[in-house]
Amino acid sequence: MNFGLIIIGDEILSGKREDKHLPKVIDLLAARGLSLSWARYVGDEPERITADLRDAFAAAQRGDVVFSCGGIGATPDDHTRQCAGRALGVPLALHPQARELILERMRDVAAEQGLPYEPDRDDNVHRLNMGVFPEGARIIPNPYNKIAGFSLHAPSGEGGVFFVPGFPVMAWPMIEWVLDHHCAHLRRQVGMREKSVIVFGAMEATLTPLMEDIETRFPGIKVFSLPSVDHPQWGKHIELGVKGEPNSMEAAFAEMLRGLAGHGAKLGPELVR
């Protein structure tokens, strides 16, 4: 199973707000021995959101878990719920459990402010729109203010797209809930690891056959090459490494070192992540 992330909002693309979801989701997955396979950013443009969500639902059909952050409110610039419905070709409807949670939130706020509970007041009726989801959606509980997110699952039940708000204080606990409930069986005691070495005075083109040979000989191992021309400590160099399950990674890395020795490469420190 792969994990994907979609981050929605003009404020991210314009630089008005800095995205914090990507590094946090990487950390949440890593804490469970999992890793992020892909991520996308998209502004508040319904056609683009719909296209990206079609891709996300196609990935979910293959078993992927995709998190979508942002745009599930009820203001004119929130399009995610409607775009999810269009991407699947299903209508939207007020989710009964989400409705009850919104009404419960209204009662809580009224009690906190010492005001009467008025669910039929215009602004409260409008708040119910935050519980209008594509048909077939399941709710994701929101411990911050009870306004639920939602998820849409592949027929197999394994993959799915999970929609949470853009606010980190809400989104991150909701993503953790998904990981610890829907994805609990995927948790690994030992996750992916990286091991690399700093290589001086070599060209990537010269090392490419070695990299290809290691990926062929060690299934499940990924080889990476990160060149730098102005590193403050090592200057011009290539960080060459492998990543994967620890046992396979050690064998692949040892083979990489042998190959580099055969090239007469000058090596610097080894790095482990």
Side-chain angles (χ1 to χ4, degrees):
M1 178 180 288
N2 293 318
F3 287 86
L5 176 64
I6 299 174
I7 299 163
I8 298 172
D10 284 349
E11 67 277 8
I12 300 297
L13 298 183
S14 68
K16 193 172 184 179
R17 287 191 178 174
E18 180 183 358
D19 171 50
K20 298 179 180 178
H21 293 305
L22 180 60
K24 183 63 176 182
V25 170
I26 290 171
D27 287 345
L28 292 175
L29 289 168
R32 293 157 177 82
L34 305 168
S35 59
L36 188 67
S37 296
W38 56 270
R40 291 185 184 179
Y41 291 92
V42 60
D44 296 315
E45 299 180 37
E47 289 186 4
R48 290 183 180 274
I49 297 171
T50 301
D52 280 343
L53 290 180
R54 284 198 187 102
D55 290 345
F57 290 127
Q61 291 281 5
R62 300 190 294 270
D64 285 11
V65 167
V66 181
F67 295 105
S68 173
C69 300
I72 64 171
T75 56
D77 58 341
D78 291 316
H79 306 291
T80 304
R81 294 176 294 108
Q82 297 87 340
C83 292
R86 282 196 290 272
L88 284 177
V90 299
L92 275 62
L94 180 59
H95 191 287
Q97 192 174 355
R99 175 183 180 276
E100 291 307 312
L101 287 167
I102 295 170
L103 292 174
E104 187 176 328
R105 173 64 178 169
M106 291 179 195
R107 283 192 290 269
D108 292 344
V109 171
E112 290 168 5
Q113 297 178 350
L115 299 173
Y117 169 55
E118 299 175 310
D120 295 328
R121 201 174 64 209
D122 287 347
D123 58 330
N124 281 334
V125 171
H126 178 72
R127 288 186 175 94
L128 291 176
N129 288 325
M130 291 186 290
V132 174
F133 305 143
E135 283 189 354
R138 307 176 194 175
I139 70 162
I140 302 172
N142 180 346
Y144 183 81
N145 64 3
K146 300 181 181 178
I147 307 300
F150 67 98
S151 61
L152 294 157
H153 296 254
S156 65
E158 191 72 12
V161 184
F162 297 82
F163 297 86
V164 299
F167 298 104
V169 70
M170 302 179 197
W172 298 350
M174 295 168 78
I175 290 172
E176 285 198 270
W177 183 89
V178 173
L179 291 174
D180 292 338
H181 289 77
H182 180 76
C183 305
H185 62 293
L186 299 173
R187 186 173 186 139
R188 301 170 180 164
Q189 293 302 316
V190 179
M192 299 279 281
R193 294 290 185 268
E194 290 185 7
K195 196 166 186 178
S196 60
V197 63
I198 300 301
V199 183
F200 299 105
M203 301 289 289
E204 277 190 301
T206 305
L207 300 178
T208 297
L210 171 62
M211 298 167 65
E212 292 173 340
D213 179 61
I214 289 173
E215 285 204 343
T216 300
R217 292 170 58 190
F218 295 90
I221 289 293
K222 291 184 178 181
V223 179
F224 63 90
S225 172
L226 300 173
S228 179
V229 296
D230 57 355
H231 191 277
Q233 182 177 359
W234 300 313
K236 186 176 181 179
H237 72 277
I238 298 172
E239 181 186 349
L240 193 67
V242 295
K243 55 186 175 181
E245 298 291 344
N247 291 337
S248 300
M249 182 199 71
E250 290 292 346
F253 186 71
E255 192 61 32
M256 174 176 284
L257 291 180
R258 280 192 286 271
L260 289 170
H263 279 279
K266 180 183 176 182
L267 305 183
E270 294 181 7
L271 309 172
V272 179
R273 298 182 182 87

